[in-house]
Amino acid sequence: MVGELNTLKTEAEQSFQDAATKDDVEKLRVGFLGKKGKLTSVLRGMGKLSKEDRPKVGSKANEVRDLLEELVKSNLLRIKEKERAAEFEDRIDVTLPGRRRGYGRTHPLTRTADDILSVLSSLGFTLAEGPEIEHDFYNFEALNMPADHPARDMQDTFYINDDVVLRTHTSPVQIRAMLSLKKAPVRVACFGRVYRNDHDVTHSPMFHQIEGLYVDKQVTFGDLKGTLQVFAERIFRPGTKVRLRPSFFPFTEPSAEVDITCFMCAGEGTLKTGDTCRICKGTGWIEIMGAGMVDPEVFKHSGFDPDEVSGFAFGIGVERVAMLRYGISDIRLFFENDQRFLHQFF
Ligand code: PHE
């Protein structure tokens, strides 16, 4: 009988190993330990044993029963764990990094405009805005560009009708600001979208300008240059020099193109490596904006007496500054909203 019990033991160990489900285990449990189970039927034969054999067989039988009970428990656990693992395998890979929520960045143009406006604000300029769809009067006429005057050719734009255009610059906001403030001092920074019939890698039909206007008694060209000097150093880098070249704008007299020393080569024209600087093309200077003293004609259209006040104005393209700052060679990148581009800016 001890031999029978041993066979039972080996058989049990085998069968439990093969059990794949809880039901399999239950069947085996009944098969071995149930009322009609194999162990039970072996034990039934114990009555026929001699007195000497009984304790030996009894203790073996106990051992096999304990083992069977243990097998039931441990295999149920094994199957449960396996089922859980299978469940997770389908749904969750806990080793994967979590899915991050995409978060936005400040657009490089917004950042550049914010920087320019905050420098102007620190210099006492307050923000002024005006409509993008503008009357001919504010965009041209009041800025000393009468109808049919060739000066209008500098800024070809989109006409809504004969009297209404998409504004070509932020200068009309100067006129609106002066007409509404009515008295000096006027110190405004005009910011917004402007439109021109222009498109290539550095020009877009829509772009952004920021314009500074300062009107007061005895504002001089020296004030303009000093303001531009501080402005350039803050926007680019300390030590940046400013150069004014004679130019023409209908609404300023005298007028100037404003150049700054190249921030890449510090005005040297060549890099430390000996290569020609690609930002300023070896000249050491970068053209950055237009500026000048407010033309008396403009004052007349804006309700100011040119004999009493004087003023300066300057206008800067936000895209141009951003392209220089970030080394971007194609202006269209700003407007395509390609996340791979936009996510490079912190
Ligand atoms: N409005 C001019 C332009 O768009 C720039 C400018 C502004 C020039 C103010 C002088 C003074 O070209």
Side-chain angles (χ1 to χ4, degrees):
M1 254 179 116
V2 172
E4 249 176 276
L5 283 167
N6 274 333
T7 320
L8 198 64
K9 190 175 147 193
T10 328
E11 190 194 330
E13 275 164 349
Q14 272 293 332
S15 346
F16 274 101
Q17 232 171 48
D18 297 340
T21 64
K22 279 185 214 162
D23 283 351
D24 292 349
V25 175
E26 179 57 15
K27 269 184 211 143
L28 288 170
R29 189 188 69 75
V30 175
F32 285 105
L33 295 165
K35 269 187 194 150
K36 293 175 186 160
K38 289 179 184 162
L39 180 66
T40 323
S41 56
V42 174
L43 293 181
R44 235 173 243 140
M46 280 205 20
K48 294 177 202 140
L49 288 174
S50 62
K51 252 188 182 166
E52 302 88 73
D53 286 345
R54 211 174 281 170
K56 258 198 259 157
V57 176
S59 84
K60 187 75 199 171
N62 281 339
E63 184 196 316
V64 174
R65 200 193 46 234
D66 287 350
L67 177 87
L68 280 167
E69 275 165 5
E70 180 52 36
L71 280 173
V72 171
K73 247 204 252 162
S74 66
N75 280 285
L76 274 179
L77 199 70
R78 170 178 68 80
I79 287 161
K80 208 165 148 192
E81 267 168 16
K82 213 170 147 198
E83 279 174 3
R84 268 177 74 98
E87 221 172 86
F88 278 112
E89 210 165 86
D90 279 352
R91 296 202 209 136
I92 304 165
D93 178 351
V94 290
T95 65
L96 273 179
R99 231 173 265 165
R100 275 168 202 259
R101 193 170 268 269
Y103 54 91
R105 304 264 169 96
T106 307
H107 193 283
L109 290 179
T110 309
R111 163 142 319 202
T112 304
D114 283 351
D115 289 347
I116 295 172
L117 289 169
S118 81
V119 171
L120 290 179
S121 153
S122 76
L123 293 171
F125 291 82
T126 47
L127 187 66
E129 283 175 295
E132 288 172 33
I133 299 171
E134 185 58 286
H135 287 284
D136 182 280
F137 171 78
Y138 296 103
N139 195 80
F140 291 126
E141 195 81 27
L143 288 159
N144 202 23
M145 286 188 268
D148 305 318
H149 195 281
R152 289 204 181 188
D153 288 350
M154 290 167 76
Q155 300 184 359
D156 184 22
T157 184
F158 306 88
Y159 281 77
I160 305 291
N161 61 39
D162 281 352
D163 289 324
V164 180
V165 299
L166 295 187
R167 67 178 177 195
T168 57
H169 49 180
T170 41
S171 304
V173 186
Q174 291 186 19
I175 308 294
R176 289 177 173 275
M178 285 192 277
L179 285 171
S180 75
L181 288 168
K182 294 193 178 73
K183 58 183 208 311
V186 175
R187 214 189 272 124
V188 289
C190 319
F191 167 52
R193 291 194 186 108
V194 301
Y195 302 83
R196 289 194 199 177
N197 185 6
D198 246 353
H199 59 94
D200 58 44
V201 286
T202 56
H203 295 87
S204 153
M206 184 283 294
F207 61 103
H208 299 76
Q209 274 191 344
I210 295 177
E211 185 140 335
L213 169 73
Y214 177 35
V215 177
D216 207 346
K217 292 197 171 92
Q218 296 178 326
V219 175
T220 69
F221 201 76
D223 295 325
L224 170 61
K225 187 160 186 195
T227 304
L228 294 176
Q229 178 63 48
V230 173
F231 180 75
E233 290 205 50
R234 298 250 193 101
I235 296 295
F236 293 97
R237 64 181 208 191
T240 300
K241 290 196 190 72
V242 168
R243 174 175 87 173
L244 298 171
R245 269 183 298 118
S247 185
F248 172 77
F249 297 104
F251 33 89
T252 47
E253 183 60 34
S255 303
E257 280 320 324
V258 183
D259 297 341
I260 55 159
T261 44
C262 179
F263 55 86
M264 192 70 170
C265 61
E268 296 297 323
T270 45
L271 301 175
K272 287 203 180 91
T273 56
D275 293 331
T276 305
C277 178
R278 136 187 100 72
I279 301 285
C280 62
K281 301 188 178 73
T283 62
W285 294 94
I286 303 171
E287 185 183 313
I288 193 81
M289 60 181 139
M293 302 304 290
V294 179
D295 193 289
E297 280 304 310
V298 173
F299 279 135
K300 283 183 204 160
H301 285 296
S302 318
F304 280 77
D305 182 351
D307 290 329
E308 265 182 34
V309 294
S310 55
F312 65 69
F314 54 89
I316 190 164
V318 178
E319 281 76 1
R320 172 140 176 83
V321 177
M323 287 173 87
L324 286 168
R325 271 182 149 188
Y326 300 120
I328 293 159
S329 51
D330 189 336
I331 197 168
R332 286 167 298 194
L333 287 166
F334 290 129
F335 308 116
E336 283 167 351
N337 283 336
D338 185 331
Q339 296 297 307
R340 292 166 300 180
F341 171 73
L342 295 176
H343 271 261
Q344 293 174 47
F345 303 92
F346 290 95

